[in-house]
Amino acid sequence: VCAGMAAKTLARGPCVTASVDAVHFLKPCRLGMVVIIAAMVNRTFSSSMEVGVRVEAEEMRTGERHHCCSAYLTFVAVGDKAGSKGAEQGGSSSSSSRHPGT
């Protein structure tokens, strides 16, 4: 959902998931931890875009965070103007202020 929101924001319209390119599970998120999900558009093409997602878990008592998962997805803009406006609008769209790869 977070990746879709980043794609929709950049395309300024509906987008669909074309593919899930990679999912890397690194560490588990335990019950009681706060889960932080960040997504950012990494690349844009004529009507598609690559979105990176980073998932972190935070221990509420200590504030310690660890990287749990990373994923890369491709989204395609759809709708009446998808071919003409495309996804290539420059810049990037993020649902978090940090890059998913950091």
Side-chain angles (χ1 to χ4, degrees):
V1 172
C2 191
M5 290 173 62
K8 179 183 175 189
T9 300
L10 181 69
R12 293 191 176 111
C15 294
V16 295
T17 308
S19 67
V20 177
D21 304 320
V23 178
H24 304 282
F25 295 99
L26 306 171
K27 292 184 179 179
C29 296
R30 303 280 183 208
L31 185 64
M33 291 183 150
V34 175
V35 177
I36 299 108
I37 305 171
M40 176 183 247
V41 176
N42 296 330
R43 292 182 182 172
T44 60
F45 305 98
S46 61
S47 65
S48 65
M49 62 199 88
E50 178 193 77
V51 179
V53 180
R54 179 181 170 99
V55 179
E56 295 181 341
E58 181 177 310
E59 177 61 51
M60 289 178 20
R61 288 178 282 150
T62 65
E64 181 181 336
R65 285 187 183 183
H66 64 269
H67 184 188
C68 300
C69 178
S70 288
Y72 296 92
L73 301 90
T74 300
F75 284 85
V76 176
V78 295
D80 295 340
K81 301 178 184 176
S84 60
K85 81 176 170 186
E88 206 167 305
Q89 297 178 3
S92 67
S93 177
S94 174
S95 60
S96 175
S97 60
R98 291 181 299 174
H99 187 277
T102 58

